[in-house]
Amino acid sequence: MTINGGISFWYATGTTAHQPPRAPLTTDATADVVIVGGGYTGLWTAYYLKRAAPDLRVTVLEQKFCGYGASGRNGGWLYNGIAGRDRYAALHGHEAARRLQHAMNDTVTEVIDVAAKEEIDADVHRGGVLEVARTPAQLTRLKAFHATELSFGETGRELYDAAATRARIDIADAVGSSWTPHGARIHPLKLVRGLADACDRLGVVIHESTPVTEIAPRRAVTPYGTVRAPYVLRCTEGFTAALKGQKRTWLPMNSSMIVTAPLPPSVWKQLNWQDAPLLGDMAHAYMYAQRTADDRIAIGGRGVPYRFGSRAAHAENTGRTQPATVTALRDLLFTFFPALTGTPITHAWSGVLGVPRDWCATVTLDAATGLGWAGGYVGSGVATANLAARTLRDLVLGDPTDLTALPWVHHRVRRWEPEPFRWLGVHALYAAYREADRRESTTHRPTTTPLARLADRVSGRG
């Protein structure tokens, strides 16, 4: 039987999932910095602020519990991808975007090193990321992607043909792949819960079960009191749309996952998935997967991409996934690995991630109002949140650094269209991407279908 929902597989099985909740806010309070959101971005920001300035009074307000959002539901991809790099290259020049990419490469190591320093056992395994092509059109995109990564200073990246790909992971119909060492598997919830504990030790005040209903200059408003501070930092990612006045800021894109029962050593040997690299593909409606520390395969994709009126951004999102999405992900897994056909799927869940209208992650602080924010990671937030947090730290402390000079700092983007155009547009776009993948898999042409190129331009990705 498949357990559907319950926040996530990580939450359902993790020993850190059942910690006693931290006390909610009960009255008005003051701080030097108030952070809204107890996920990766908020907790990393609190951590680095207290490390840099121990006397700083830092308060985190979390609507449910630390790790309730994407930080406790994601695919466990700690890697060097960042949303919007190519657009930043167009806006600020190739060298500026190259510096941003180098910062992301270093961030993978930074997260691993801090986890070790704080004794956070997050099932970290640095096996890199293998991105595979399974059609001629995907192979063309893969080669262009590989060349682009090299142009931005990627080090250690390797391009494989079909045989070399099967030597890394034996994927059905694989025609090529690209591998980077800048990636590691993690257990998402163990990382976020360990980070929250590290913040506790540093003296950060964390209030769970404390939903923030409004953010304004120098105050965060909750049903139980208002926290006033010179700096108010919004770190709410896919839940941003639930805040007053923020419904069209970032779109809460839905992503779904399933996980298998543990697989025996003989199956892993048959799959040739030995070094546990993360696994992705070059489809338009792409997938992402990892070999978990307890020898399961966790695999994810879009499913139902968006719910009308940004409903998935609200606190009632417990992770339940539509049966059709579970079936689609199961079939995708068996397509990649036919030998697994019939393997039990033990858990399914969903969560939301933040998507700006131009698909560019950003970090910002307005010195005049004290309002700051970071996010819009478009699914690449495990590592990007750490870079954003260190950048927010430097902005709050008023220290011009290499991080505050990166091109994503202070980037502004227009808001999403109102409903029903937002819902219609997103669903039409993902229908187009799925149809484009179908056409490419049946025609075997080496070029990307025009339908996908049109969808990229309309969506803001291209």
Side-chain angles (χ1 to χ4, degrees), residues 133-267:
R134 299 179 64 241
T135 68
Q138 288 184 22
L139 182 61
T140 299
R141 290 196 295 275
L142 176 83
K143 291 178 178 178
F145 164 76
H146 181 86
T148 299
E149 298 306 294
L150 295 180
S151 77
F152 282 105
E154 178 85 61
T155 55
R157 181 171 285 275
E158 299 175 0
L159 185 65
Y160 302 139
D161 61 12
T165 298
R166 289 193 296 272
R168 296 301 302 265
I169 304 178
D170 192 1
I171 299 163
D173 301 321
V175 293
S177 61
S178 179
W179 176 83
T180 176
H182 299 293
R185 175 206 69 200
I186 64 161
H187 186 298
L189 187 64
K190 288 183 179 180
L191 177 60
V192 73
R193 288 299 178 89
L195 183 55
D197 291 343
C199 287
D200 285 337
R201 293 192 295 270
L202 290 172
V204 175
V205 175
I206 302 175
H207 291 296
E208 296 181 319
S209 303
T210 304
V212 172
T213 56
E214 182 180 359
I215 293 173
R218 297 173 178 81
R219 68 181 186 276
V221 181
T222 84
Y224 317 120
T226 296
V227 181
R228 301 183 184 277
Y231 296 100
V232 182
L233 307 180
R234 189 187 79 220
C235 302
T236 47
E237 189 55 356
F239 288 83
T240 299
L243 291 167
K244 182 178 179 180
Q246 302 294 334
K247 182 164 284 191
R248 292 168 55 195
T249 299
W250 290 333
L251 185 138
M253 184 74 74
N254 191 62
S255 197
S256 301
M257 295 196 72
I258 60 171
V259 68
T260 68
L263 305 176
S266 60
V267 172

Side-chain angles (χ1 to χ4, degrees), residues 26-297:
T26 58
T27 186
D28 292 344
T30 61
D32 296 311
V33 181
V34 59
I35 297 169
V36 181
Y40 290 144
T41 306
L43 293 173
W44 277 124
T45 302
Y47 175 85
Y48 284 115
L49 281 169
K50 288 294 282 185
R51 278 288 182 193
D55 293 335
L56 209 62
R57 298 174 302 153
V58 180
T59 295
V60 175
L61 303 176
E62 163 55 42
Q63 68 170 343
K64 288 287 190 176
F65 51 79
C66 293
Y68 177 79
S71 299
R73 309 184 193 216
N74 65 79
W77 272 47
L78 175 67
Y79 84 120
N80 67 338
I82 183 167
R85 183 200 60 194
D86 293 347
R87 186 177 295 274
Y88 287 129
L91 291 172
H92 302 279
H94 187 85
E95 182 55 35
R98 186 183 174 99
R99 288 189 286 107
L100 180 60
Q101 185 60 66
H102 275 289
M104 281 303 306
N105 296 348
D106 294 341
T107 294
V108 174
T109 300
E110 170 72 11
V111 173
I112 294 172
D113 288 349
V114 174
K117 176 182 176 181
E118 296 294 344
E119 299 182 342
I120 300 171
D121 181 7
D123 295 343
V124 176
H125 177 82
R126 192 162 191 168
V129 183
L130 186 74
E131 290 165 290
V132 64
R134 299 179 64 241
T135 68
Q138 288 184 22
L139 182 61
T140 299
R141 290 196 295 275
L142 176 83
K143 291 178 178 178
F145 164 76
H146 181 86
T148 299
E149 298 306 294
L150 295 180
S151 77
F152 282 105
E154 178 85 61
T155 55
R157 181 171 285 275
E158 299 175 0
L159 185 65
Y160 302 139
D161 61 12
T165 298
R166 289 193 296 272
R168 296 301 302 265
I169 304 178
D170 192 1
I171 299 163
D173 301 321
V175 293
S177 61
S178 179
W179 176 83
T180 176
H182 299 293
R185 175 206 69 200
I186 64 161
H187 186 298
L189 187 64
K190 288 183 179 180
L191 177 60
V192 73
R193 288 299 178 89
L195 183 55
D197 291 343
C199 287
D200 285 337
R201 293 192 295 270
L202 290 172
V204 175
V205 175
I206 302 175
H207 291 296
E208 296 181 319
S209 303
T210 304
V212 172
T213 56
E214 182 180 359
I215 293 173
R218 297 173 178 81
R219 68 181 186 276
V221 181
T222 84
Y224 317 120
T226 296
V227 181
R228 301 183 184 277
Y231 296 100
V232 182
L233 307 180
R234 189 187 79 220
C235 302
T236 47
E237 189 55 356
F239 288 83
T240 299
L243 291 167
K244 182 178 179 180
Q246 302 294 334
K247 182 164 284 191
R248 292 168 55 195
T249 299
W250 290 333
L251 185 138
M253 184 74 74
N254 191 62
S255 197
S256 301
M257 295 196 72
I258 60 171
V259 68
T260 68
L263 305 176
S266 60
V267 172
W268 290 110
K269 185 177 181 179
Q270 183 179 5
L271 300 181
N272 209 27
W273 196 342
Q274 300 298 323
D275 190 37
L278 300 168
L279 175 63
D281 74 350
M282 299 304 293
H284 300 293
Y286 52 83
M287 57 76 74
Y288 52 94
Q290 68 148 282
R291 176 179 175 175
T292 67
D294 60 347
D295 289 329
R296 306 167 185 258
I297 295 177

